[in-house]
Amino acid sequence: MRQCLTNPDGGYYTTTRKDDADQFGTEGDFITSPEISQIFGELVGIWFMTEWMAQGRPSQGVQFIEMGPGRGTLMSDVLRTIGQFGTFAKSISAVWLVEAGEGLRAKQKDVLCGEDAEMKEVRDHTGKNVWWEATSKQGIPVRWVEDVVLLPDGTGGSGDQKTVPFIIAHEFFDALPIHAFESVAPKPEEVQEEGQEVQSKLLGEMGQPVPKPSTASKLPQWRELLVAPTKPKLDLSSQLGNGAGAAAAAAHKQPEPDFQLTLAKASTPSSLVIPERPRYRHLKNQVSSRVEVSPESSRYIQEFARRIGGGVASNRSSKEGTGQSPLDGNNGGAALIIDYGPLETVPVDSLRAIRRHKIVSPFVYAGEADVSADVDFVALAHAALEASPGIEVHGPVEQGFWLGQLGIKQRAERLVAELTKRGQFGSTEELERKKVELETGWKRLVEAGPKGMGKAYKVMTIVPENGGRRRPVGFGGSVVG
Ligand code: SAH
């Protein structure tokens, strides 16, 4: 997944296409909520404002941090919305964008800062942190890094000022690599029959029987599902243009996959990435059950948790010998994770690819299709809680519910009324078309069903620990004045 998506040489997100087309929208491979309706980003902006209010309206040090901003539409809608609330807007010190793709960084710059704006490389006073920077249309510094580990701690400079990180990851975690495992029964020869045990007894120094040390387990074990090449194609006739391959191509069928999943014969080091938690142990004991685990997702969510709640020093800081992370003691901000995946269960067999709005095998079109997997929200929550004692997690809840709580219906009605009032459209047909676009857009975000995103997508948040006394808006709470 990592190589297919972000390898600098041919990765899906890291390769700029010849025609300047990108991955999103009707012309691309898939469409995301912020591209479907502007209301999505507006409500995300409003949600962060409700958190800012609930956290005592800090007057400075607010950072917006987005993971994988795509075309930059979501952040653009967030900043436009916040711009209407002066005090909140003034509290924002910087926008940080974590984006692996160079072409996408350039697009985000155009959308947020304007096509004429220049993107400069900046190094802070410590000399350790480097990023690209431009200024947003609202006058806020926008900074880009390629990976979460390159995000400077704290304020990205002075270090000692308290920061309020507002972090958003929309359709980001689904792009992070997973490991998959299947539970297998112990091999027959590994199982010791009662009689066998007696036979295999050895004699000790004093002639007493010593049971043979047994490393074999009687319990089911995890075996990794590995990506292996398919058998080399020996069918030369297809290369001569008259075989099965040519026939498939002529019929516009999907080509044969280059890779396949195979079950490892023995335990692989990756088994160590499965956390020691009851939900995995329970599944391991049921032969043939499968799990997907994403250690990289844990790394990201733990970084969010530490930034919001302070906590155990991150590896990076402790390696530098500081002992304490500059994030220690920080307590403020919020993270919003919106993605698809089950509410509670461990994802299974969810690796998939999408190309030109169709689901295809993840083992064809490497680097030319969007490869993704379901997000394990419960695993994210566990990892976050382990990383910082200063946070709490709310959700996941279904996207339809969350947007409903934030007033998506009322906002859509208002936009429709404004459209009619403004009278900027040349013809009534044009006005009608715009109205229909708005209506179908917001409904798609909340509806269930195969085309709707309201049920499949979930929203989860990490907020500073407050003893569960205050529930965030959209997760059972209401606006705090
Ligand atoms: N949030 C956007 C785009 C989602 S697509 C939207 O909703 O429209 C995933 C985004 O994450 C892309 O911008 C992609 O380039 C970026 N991305 C994927 N893997 C990444 C990684 N490992 N590190 C940084 N960015 C990554």
Side-chain angles (χ1 to χ4, degrees):
M1 281 179 84
R2 191 198 314 278
Q3 300 309 327
C4 289
L5 293 176
T6 54
N7 186 307
D9 217 358
Y12 179 69
Y13 286 115
T14 35
T15 310
T16 317
R17 299 181 186 190
K18 280 179 231 96
D19 51 4
D20 194 42
D22 61 29
Q23 296 80 358
F24 311 95
T26 31
E27 301 287 302
D29 296 305
F30 61 96
I31 188 153
T32 59
S33 297
E35 305 293 335
I36 290 172
S37 173
Q38 68 179 74
I39 307 180
F40 185 80
E42 290 172 353
L43 295 181
V44 166
I46 296 288
W47 184 85
F48 279 111
M49 193 163 104
T50 65
E51 267 310 301
W52 173 78
M53 285 160 67
Q55 293 181 25
R57 303 169 183 252
S59 62
Q60 55 181 9
V62 171
Q63 305 175 330
F64 268 94
I65 306 176
E66 185 177 358
M67 305 289 137
R71 277 182 176 169
T73 312
L74 174 57
M75 188 51 78
S76 166
D77 291 338
V78 166
L79 293 181
R80 190 190 64 247
T81 307
I82 289 169
Q84 307 192 6
F85 303 94
T87 335
F88 184 28
K90 273 200 222 102
S91 72
I92 303 171
S93 60
V95 170
W96 289 89
L97 304 175
V98 178
E99 173 56 64
E102 191 183 349
L104 285 172
R105 284 196 296 270
K107 285 218 163 164
Q108 293 154 14
K109 194 273 299 165
D110 287 353
V111 168
L112 296 169
C113 311
E115 282 180 21
D116 297 333
E118 209 190 318
M119 203 170 177
K120 287 199 203 101
E121 195 171 298
V122 174
R123 190 176 286 270
D124 74 353
H125 72 279
T126 65
K128 277 188 292 187
N129 301 308
V130 191
W131 59 79
W132 294 280
E133 182 165 329
T135 306
S136 85
K137 290 172 184 164
Q138 295 83 3
I140 304 166
V142 183
R143 298 165 177 165
W144 284 264
V145 289
E146 282 175 282
D147 188 286
V148 78
V149 300
L150 301 171
L151 270 182
D153 290 336
T155 53
S158 57
D160 45 20
Q161 195 191 335
K162 183 180 150 137
T163 64
V164 186
F166 284 142
I167 306 168
I168 164 93
H170 179 252
E171 290 224 31
F172 176 73
F173 281 101
D174 64 68
L176 297 181
I178 56 160
H179 288 275
F181 300 90
E182 185 174 308
S183 165
V184 295
K187 288 201 201 104
E189 64 266 30
E190 285 174 2
V191 183
Q192 294 187 343
E193 301 294 333
E194 263 176 73
Q196 243 178 317
E197 214 169 304
V198 181
Q199 281 167 23
S200 67
K201 273 180 187 156
L202 306 170
L203 293 182
E205 261 174 65
M206 309 294 288
Q208 84 282 20
V210 178
K212 188 180 163 192
S214 165
T215 48
S217 168
K218 291 181 188 177
L219 298 170
Q221 294 294 308
W222 288 123
R223 289 283 180 270
E224 192 171 10
L225 287 154
L226 300 167
V227 177
T230 42
K231 291 210 178 72
K233 297 179 189 85
L234 292 173
D235 180 11
L236 279 179
S237 61
S238 70
Q239 288 171 18
L240 296 171
N242 54 1
H252 299 293
K253 283 211 209 103
Q254 198 171 306
E256 290 285 306
D258 300 311
F259 303 97
Q260 61 190 347
L261 282 183
T262 55
L263 198 60
K265 292 200 173 58
S267 179
T268 49
S270 302
S271 315
L272 295 173
V273 305
I274 306 176
E276 266 303 318
R277 291 184 196 134
R279 65 201 293 252
Y280 297 108
R281 233 175 289 138
H282 173 74
L283 286 166
K284 187 162 101 174
N285 292 332
Q286 299 169 21
V287 170
S288 300
S289 58
R290 287 185 172 189
V291 290
E292 290 171 355
V293 183
S294 174
E296 190 132 333
S297 297
S298 298
R299 180 168 76 88
Y300 272 83
I301 203 82
Q302 298 198 322
E303 184 66 32
F304 299 177
R306 280 191 287 264
R307 278 173 189 268
I308 294 162
V312 201
S314 68
N315 283 344
R316 186 161 44 112
S317 313
S318 47
K319 255 191 226 136
E320 281 161 13
T322 54
Q324 275 210 324
S325 159
L327 302 171
D328 271 356
N330 197 45
N331 194 265
L336 201 55
I337 294 103
I338 310 181
D339 226 307
Y340 46 84
L343 273 178
E344 287 167 14
T345 50
V346 182
V348 185
D349 296 336
S350 77
L351 182 70
R352 65 174 82 76
I354 294 191
R355 187 168 184 261
R356 298 188 189 140
H357 301 271
K358 285 208 176 70
I359 297 203
V360 293
S361 157
F363 302 125
V364 246
Y365 307 116
E368 287 169 33
D370 178 40
V371 184
S372 69
D374 277 3
V375 171
D376 187 346
F377 285 94
V378 171
L380 290 182
H382 282 153
L385 291 164
E386 273 169 22
S388 172
I391 56 134
E392 55 189 47
V393 179
H394 295 263
V397 295
E398 288 174 359
Q399 172 169 297
F401 170 82
W402 188 79
L403 290 172
Q405 294 280 298
L406 277 142
I408 191 165
K409 187 163 182 283
Q410 294 79 349
R411 174 67 188 144
E413 281 164 4
R414 209 157 126 205
L415 276 178
V416 170
E418 275 173 24
L419 278 181
T420 321
K421 211 164 60 195
R422 257 188 273 145
Q424 71 196 97
F425 298 97
S427 62
T428 39
E429 287 94 75
E430 206 182 328
L431 172 66
E432 280 311 308
R433 196 163 34 81
K434 194 81 198 150
K435 273 192 197 167
V436 170
E437 195 183 292
L438 233 154
E439 286 286 328
T440 47
W442 83 263
K443 285 191 177 144
R444 186 164 169 201
L445 300 186
V446 297
E447 274 169 5
K451 277 225 138 202
M453 296 159 117
K455 229 176 152 53
Y457 283 72
K458 314 290 185 317
V459 188
M460 194 175 85
T461 185
I462 300 176
V463 290
E465 198 274 326
N466 64 62
R469 285 183 297 273
R470 180 183 68 77
R471 289 190 152 266
V473 175
F475 300 90
S478 54
V479 179
V480 179

